[in-house]
């Protein structure tokens, strides 16, 4: 079945540093979503991507839909302590209602 | 506030109990989802409903029984659960026709004793 590989699994960074994470799929998606989840809460949607090559920003966050449609990237610039959490990617192929989720990137920001 | 609410937020039940989880979305979406999130595992899709019709059952054991009476409400009925069913159960919804954005509720933290 479809699988999503998300990396890195975890990151420890200093406040003010930039962060990059990515997801790769074994098959083509027509939608990529990026979420952040705080402990004990549901994932919160950060960015949605719908076209290959699309680059979308949300404040300090920028995400890209890979040209091959099998990958996506999320960058966080100038990290702050409240960026701490788990970041998930999710992809959806055409003709299905199913979203496939990555394993998450746990981000810790050291002040 | 994502427009998707879940109750209860926390639930502790014995293996012989019967309980229900409730999800309600106020977004006018037509598709609703149940996911299970266990520690150190990816989100596992359980069920998908589109316009009240079940379109996906991801090989979920029959001790989990979903119900979707209308496109705004989704239930997950639980009976004779096992301790390994303890997890965060998340509900989500999406419009599908207009966009592919999926919005989650806050989840129900379930503990099975």
């Amino acid at each position: 079945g479809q699988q999503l590989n998300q990396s890195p699994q975890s990151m420890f960074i200093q406040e003010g540093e930039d962060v990059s994470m990515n997801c790769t799929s074994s098959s083509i998606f027509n939608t990529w979503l990026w979420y952040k989840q705080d402990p004990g809460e549901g994932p919160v949607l950060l960015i949605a991507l719908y076209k290959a090559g699309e680059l979308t920003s949300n404040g300090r966050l920028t995400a890209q839909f890979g040209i091959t449609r099998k990958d996506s990237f999320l960058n966080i610039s100038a990290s702050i302590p409240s960026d701490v959490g788990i970041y998930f990617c999710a992809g959806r192929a055409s003709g299905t209602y199913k979203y496939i989720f990555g394993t998450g990137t746990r981000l810790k920001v050291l002040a | 506030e994502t427009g998707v609410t879940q109750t209860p937020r926390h639930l502790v039940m014995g293996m012989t109990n019967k309980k229900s989880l409730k999800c309600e979305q106020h977004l006018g979406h037509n598709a609703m989802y149940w996911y299970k999130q266990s520690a150190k595992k990816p989100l596992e899709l359980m069920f998908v409903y589109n316009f009240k019709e079940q379109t996906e059952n991801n090989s979920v054991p029959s001790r989990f029984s979903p119900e979707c009476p209308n496109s705004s409400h989704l239930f997950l009925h639980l009976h004779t659960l096992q301790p390994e069913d303890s997890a965060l159960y998340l509900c989500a919804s999406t419009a599908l026709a207009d966009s592919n954005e999926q919005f989650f509720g806050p989840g129900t933290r379930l503990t099975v004793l």
Side-chain angles (χ1 to χ4, degrees):
Chain A
Q2 290 177 310
Q3 293 186 2
L4 274 188
N5 295 311
Q6 185 171 349
S7 65
Q9 285 189 335
S10 62
M11 302 181 75
F12 290 79
I13 61 169
Q14 292 287 337
E15 184 177 358
E17 288 184 347
D18 297 343
V19 173
S20 290
M21 60 191 79
N22 70 83
C23 275
T24 58
S25 168
S26 57
S27 53
I28 289 173
F29 288 146
N30 69 342
T31 301
W32 282 98
L33 306 176
W34 282 93
Y35 291 89
K36 179 180 182 243
Q37 186 175 25
D38 292 327
E41 299 293 329
V44 174
L45 183 64
L46 300 173
I47 292 179
L49 302 160
Y50 300 108
K51 276 174 52 175
E54 179 181 356
L55 190 70
T56 297
S57 293
N58 177 5
R60 293 178 295 106
L61 278 61
T62 302
Q64 184 162 25
F65 195 137
I67 291 291
T68 65
R69 296 172 63 195
K70 290 185 176 183
D71 55 9
S72 181
F73 308 87
L74 177 69
N75 295 308
I76 306 173
S77 62
S79 58
I80 59 178
S82 62
D83 290 334
V84 165
I86 303 177
Y87 291 80
F88 290 98
C89 62
R92 188 166 85 97
S94 62
T96 175
Y97 304 124
K98 289 175 64 171
Y99 293 81
I100 309 298
F101 281 78
T103 49
T105 294
R106 186 179 297 270
L107 179 65
K108 295 200 174 177
V109 180
L110 306 174
Chain B
E1 179 58 51
T2 63
V4 182
T5 59
Q6 287 186 246
T7 54
R9 293 294 309 274
H10 301 272
L11 179 62
V12 179
M13 58 187 289
M15 290 191 284
T16 57
N17 292 158
K18 286 186 181 182
K19 296 286 184 184
S20 295
L21 310 185
K22 180 183 176 182
C23 176
E24 184 174 359
Q25 56 95 1
H26 312 275
L27 301 167
H29 290 169
N30 52 281
M32 296 186 76
Y33 304 70
W34 279 117
Y35 290 89
K36 176 184 177 184
Q37 187 176 38
S38 304
K40 302 190 178 178
K41 283 188 176 181
L43 273 164
E44 299 173 52
L45 177 67
M46 299 176 73
F47 301 103
V48 183
Y49 278 82
N50 185 27
F51 286 110
K52 303 188 299 176
E53 298 298 319
Q54 189 181 116
T55 57
E56 194 79 33
N57 176 339
N58 210 25
S59 303
V60 180
S62 59
R63 57 186 185 270
F64 295 92
S65 174
E67 179 190 0
C68 189
N70 54 62
S71 54
S72 298
H73 293 86
L74 184 65
F75 295 89
L76 188 63
H77 304 299
L78 316 171
H79 63 98
T80 59
L81 294 192
Q82 305 297 313
E84 59 265 28
D85 296 322
S86 298
L88 183 68
Y89 287 84
L90 291 160
C91 173
S93 73
T94 184
L96 282 181
D98 297 330
S99 79
N100 292 323
E101 295 179 355
Q102 184 175 72
F103 295 92
F104 282 85
T108 294
R109 172 67 63 187
L110 174 67
T111 302
V112 182
L113 301 176

